[in-house]
Amino acid sequence: MDGEIGLLSGGVRNLIAATATPSLQLTVIIPTFNEAENVAPLAAKLDKALSGLNWEAVYVDDDSADGTSDRVRELARVDRRIRVIQRVGRRGLSSAVVEGMLSSAAPVVAVIDGDMQHDETVLVKLYAAIADEGNDLAIGTRYTEGGSTGEWDESRVKISRLATRLSNLLLKNDVKDPMSGFFAVKREVFVEALPNLSMVGFKILLDMVASVPRKLRIAEIPYTFRSRIAGESKLDSKVAQEFGALLLEKMFGHIVPVRLLMFAAVGGLGLLVHLATLGAIVRVLDIDFRIGQSIAVFTAMTFNYILNNSFTYRDMRLRGARFVRGLFTFYAVCLIGAIGNIGVGEFIYNMHYRWWLAGIAGAVVGVVWNYAASAMFTWNRK
Ligand code: GDD
Ligand code: MN
């Protein structure tokens, strides 16, 4: 009777209210970049495929110019299960997925592409593999029996398999399709991975598996990759580069920062450029050594700056006026570095160590200084 319920304390009443609505079971994260035409059709497919579950969908859109975010809002107004996170001034599939996951309160979180290339009817199986069968992670895979890459051309299949082999060198777990962008994970496992995630590039699954310090219970569930109907793929050459950076970081990142490794490699190339320029000027053009040396120094510094700006700092690349300003701070940093290099080398040489040891010591000090100082003054990292 009403009177009796009125006697219950507030806490108990809230408890009743909470158990009356079944609790959230699954959040589906959908990273999108220019997928406006796919938003509503995918939501309809999810609605059908997930009818037995209490789910929600979070579209994480990187401020697409085609109005993807607004399309999601149109749906969200009439369907409380749907939300959008519109990110401004940021790009990247991995980081988008992570942000979506952070916004979830569900015990299981899944990721599916926003272009309907992944088979949404597999989502319930991914969910069950975690919620019912106790796995940490369930991956939609193209590489077991029953799964397939659909209509991919041969070269893309080959590249994908090569990347898979490389990745498995790195993982404690044997995963058949570590490149998959289609999976579900126990939220606690995601939280475990969180502090170690690199979030570089496309490969959030690989990143996550490599970031959890223990062996995981993984289920792999086959599906067939569909062809795209609307919109276009965002996979380009940058993705391969980012994949390389992710592998490097996961292999060596705990010893030396990958940026420093790349910076030093660029420095090595710069030395070759320096020598080639100097040789050309002195031997071929027959110009004075001092002048040749100065021209070579600036050529090599400019070369290093451009390479570092395109690769080492590709995620914070300087453009336009900031590019020019960056170049001059880079010159300043390197010139101070050279003075340090010579100073330290001379100091060690004077202590009667071998000439090559003194040379190496000077070079190491120079590289580390250039790296640290250019990070601060040229690329403005905190
Ligand atoms: N928020 C956000 N930000 N979303 C992005 C971004 C980004 O920078 N780049 C791509 N997306 C979204 C796309 O809109 C799409 O929904 C999904 O991520 C996958 O992007 P596609 O461009 O369609 O990738 P794909 O089909 O070539 O690659 C798929 O297969 C690969 C397997 O080789 C993806 O599932 C990859 O994750 C997967 O590794
Ligand atoms: Mn796609």
Side-chain angles (χ1 to χ4, degrees):
M1 274 172 72
D2 272 352
E4 274 176 331
I5 290 180
L7 289 178
L8 295 174
S9 74
V12 176
R13 237 181 296 143
N14 289 342
L15 194 67
I16 292 174
T19 44
T21 48
S23 57
L24 182 63
Q25 293 170 295
L26 173 70
T27 302
V28 181
I29 313 292
I30 308 161
T32 54
F33 191 67
N34 292 333
E35 303 286 1
E37 297 311 317
N38 291 316
V39 168
L42 177 62
K45 279 178 182 289
L46 289 179
D47 181 51
K48 212 167 139 202
L50 299 175
S51 59
L53 288 174
N54 198 347
W55 60 278
E56 64 172 1
V58 180
Y59 288 79
V60 188
D61 181 52
D62 285 356
D63 206 17
S64 305
D66 72 350
T68 303
S69 290
D70 283 333
R71 295 289 186 91
V72 183
R73 283 190 191 93
E74 281 165 26
L75 296 181
R77 269 193 287 276
V78 294
D79 187 340
R80 296 284 288 273
R81 298 171 303 182
I82 293 176
R83 289 189 276 141
V84 62
I85 298 178
Q86 180 177 0
R87 306 200 306 166
V88 178
R90 273 168 297 164
R91 261 303 297 277
L93 181 50
S94 285
S95 62
V97 167
V98 168
E99 240 165 275
M101 288 186 171
L102 283 170
S103 84
S104 160
V108 179
V109 192
V111 189
I112 191 168
D113 281 357
D115 56 6
M116 297 187 284
Q117 292 197 271
H118 294 156
D119 181 353
E120 72 290 334
T121 62
V122 172
L123 277 172
V124 276
K125 295 188 200 162
L126 296 178
Y127 173 78
I130 295 173
D132 305 337
E133 291 153 32
N135 289 289
D136 295 311
L137 181 68
I139 304 171
T141 175
R142 300 158 287 173
Y143 295 138
T144 53
E145 214 169 311
S148 111
T149 38
E151 291 163 17
W152 272 10
D153 58 45
E154 208 180 316
S155 71
R156 182 156 177 189
V157 172
K158 274 199 190 126
I159 293 172
S160 181
R161 287 196 188 253
L162 176 68
T164 302
R165 281 215 200 95
L166 281 175
S167 314
N168 272 322
L169 291 179
L170 166 75
L171 301 177
K172 286 180 207 69
N173 302 271
D174 190 29
V175 178
K176 291 196 189 61
D177 194 357
M179 304 296 140
S180 177
F182 185 32
F183 61 92
V185 62
K186 206 186 267 180
R187 227 187 66 85
E188 295 150 29
V189 174
F190 161 68
V191 171
E192 244 180 279
L194 203 48
N196 298 325
L197 287 177
S198 340
M199 286 185 256
V200 187
F202 253 59
K203 305 305 175 192
I204 180 64
L205 174 64
L206 173 63
D207 192 358
M208 211 162 60
V209 177
S211 298
V212 179
R214 65 186 169 88
K215 211 171 153 73
L216 295 174
R217 271 187 70 177
I218 300 177
E220 298 195 83
I221 295 164
Y223 79 99
T224 299
F225 200 79
R226 299 185 192 132
S227 349
R228 213 182 228 281
I229 299 168
E232 51 195 46
S233 171
K234 284 92 204 171
L235 259 183
D236 54 17
S237 64
K238 208 177 111 200
V239 168
Q241 208 191 94
E242 288 174 339
F243 174 65
L246 177 64
L247 279 187
L248 274 181
E249 169 145 353
K250 286 298 169 204
M251 287 178 186
F252 304 110
H254 54 290
I255 311 171
V256 186
V258 168
R259 263 195 232 273
L260 175 54
L261 285 180
M262 289 174 73
F263 193 89
V266 168
L269 287 178
L271 183 63
L272 296 180
V273 169
H274 180 113
L275 292 177
T277 316
L278 183 62
I281 294 174
V282 176
R283 306 283 300 270
V284 182
L285 299 178
D286 198 22
I287 296 177
D288 181 57
F289 179 81
R290 288 277 277 293
I291 299 175
Q293 178 78 333
S294 312
I295 296 176
V297 164
F298 276 91
T299 310
M301 286 193 299
T302 311
F303 169 86
N304 281 13
Y305 173 69
I306 293 172
L307 235 60
N308 280 321
N309 194 46
S310 319
F311 295 102
T312 318
Y313 286 100
R314 72 197 172 291
D315 55 335
M316 19 188 24
R317 196 172 291 173
L318 304 171
R319 294 170 209 270
R322 295 177 59 217
F323 176 89
V324 179
R325 191 189 151 273
L327 178 62
F328 284 98
T329 57
F330 192 74
Y331 285 156
V333 163
C334 292
L335 292 176
I336 296 173
I339 296 170
N341 181 340
I342 295 171
V344 168
E346 205 166 79
F347 176 73
I348 293 190
Y349 186 70
N350 288 340
M351 285 169 45
H352 302 289
Y353 284 102
R354 293 176 192 283
W355 63 268
W356 52 267
L357 195 66
I360 290 176
V364 167
V365 168
V367 168
V368 172
W369 156 264
N370 285 355
Y371 173 71
S374 69
M376 256 171 93
F377 299 115
T378 305
W379 284 281
N380 292 319
R381 288 173 63 204
K382 267 132 241 143

